[in-house]
Amino acid sequence: MDLAEIFNIPLEDFKWYGAFHNEAGHPHLHMVVYSTGSKRGFINENRIEKVKSVLANEIFRDEMYELYDSKSHARDKISDEAKKKLQEIGRSVREKDFSDSEVCSMLDELSQRLLFCKGKKTYAYLPKDEKQIVDEIFRKLAENEDIKNMYDEWCSLQQKIVGFYHDKQIEFPPLVENKEFKKIKNAIVSEAVNLGNNLFFDKEADKKTE
């Protein structure tokens, strides 16, 4: 039924034949599809990809489930590691330890800017200049060797999933531009907000003790 819909052929007129070749390293299927009762039906590259998707999801369901699960786990590992690094940087700023001076300075600047930002404190609602600081902090986090290796693992898993549909090699974007990891940007904003609030309350406490 799925294939008949993809080829735009009424189900009662839909016929198909297939020859499976179990070649080592390249198992594949030759397939002929046609309509018996009308001149309806056509194919293009987009519809071929849909056919591959239907067949892959049916034939390799268990393998793909495991890959998607592994990919989700790899994504969560990256997010958790990024949050851990952010907390370490935030702690350094609070303790006036700017040994990792560049990223510490950026997080410190962002925290102070966010004190005066109106509206929701999430990446999507930030002004352009503040978004640029978040992106730059994210780039610095992505240079961490552990996070680099984790992202390579995630890309490898995604490539295997794509491999079920076609043989194309994917050009993966840098981590900071990958939309699947946008919640790390919100984690940066959240850490900056917490840092700004803590520094603000510390200053207020210092005033009261003077």
Side-chain angles (χ1 to χ4, degrees):
M1 291 176 67
D2 290 333
L3 297 181
E5 183 178 347
I6 291 170
F7 285 105
N8 196 33
I9 297 173
L11 187 58
E12 61 272 18
D13 297 336
F14 182 80
K15 298 291 181 183
W16 76 277
Y17 292 91
F20 175 61
H21 290 172
N22 194 20
E23 289 184 11
H26 183 56
H28 60 279
L29 175 76
H30 297 275
M31 194 163 130
V32 176
V33 172
Y34 67 95
S35 173
T36 58
S38 71
K39 294 182 180 180
R40 293 179 66 181
F42 66 94
I43 193 65
N44 56 30
E45 187 173 350
N46 182 52
R47 288 169 185 261
I48 290 173
E49 292 301 319
K50 287 182 179 179
V51 171
K52 290 180 179 179
S53 177
V54 167
L55 294 176
N57 286 329
E58 186 66 30
I59 297 168
F60 301 108
R61 182 179 298 164
D62 291 341
E63 291 92 335
M64 292 188 74
Y65 176 82
E66 289 180 11
L67 277 173
Y68 275 113
D69 188 55
S70 297
K71 193 183 86 163
S72 295
H73 182 62
R75 183 191 61 216
D76 291 342
K77 276 171 59 180
I78 293 171
S79 295
D80 291 343
E81 185 65 19
K83 288 176 183 176
K84 187 174 85 173
K85 299 292 182 191
L86 279 168
Q87 288 169 358
E88 291 172 0
I89 295 165
R91 193 178 308 115
S92 294
V93 175
R94 283 191 290 273
E95 294 172 357
K96 312 297 184 188
D97 173 15
F98 279 60
S99 51
D100 193 354
S101 58
E102 191 173 7
V103 69
C104 284
S105 296
M106 285 189 290
L107 187 64
D108 186 31
E109 181 184 354
L110 181 63
S111 70
Q112 294 181 51
R113 283 172 174 259
L114 293 180
L115 286 172
F116 304 100
C117 278
K118 296 180 180 179
K120 201 171 180 181
K121 301 290 176 67
T122 60
Y123 181 82
Y125 292 92
L126 294 185
K128 182 180 178 181
D129 289 346
E130 280 66 33
K131 282 183 177 179
Q132 287 178 344
I133 298 175
V134 173
D135 291 345
E136 195 55 41
I137 292 172
F138 197 172
R139 286 190 189 92
K140 291 296 180 184
L141 287 174
E143 291 173 3
N144 177 270
E145 202 61 36
D146 291 334
I147 293 177
K148 268 191 200 176
N149 292 335
M150 290 176 189
Y151 187 51
D152 287 343
E153 179 189 357
W154 183 91
C155 291
S156 175
L157 291 166
Q158 178 65 9
Q159 182 63 61
K160 288 179 182 177
I161 290 170
V162 172
F164 282 104
Y165 304 110
H166 52 69
D167 298 327
K168 296 176 184 175
Q169 245 350 85
I170 299 178
E171 287 289 334
F172 290 100
L175 179 58
V176 68
E177 296 174 15
N178 193 321
K179 292 181 180 179
E180 289 212 35
F181 296 91
K182 61 184 179 182
K183 71 178 184 179
I184 294 178
K185 295 184 179 183
N186 284 325
I188 293 170
V189 175
S190 179
E191 184 63 30
V193 169
N194 291 336
L195 178 61
N197 289 339
N198 287 334
L199 293 176
F200 175 78
F201 288 126
D202 287 346
K203 287 178 182 177
E204 290 298 307
D206 289 342
K207 287 179 183 177
K208 290 179 181 179
T209 56
E210 289 177 356

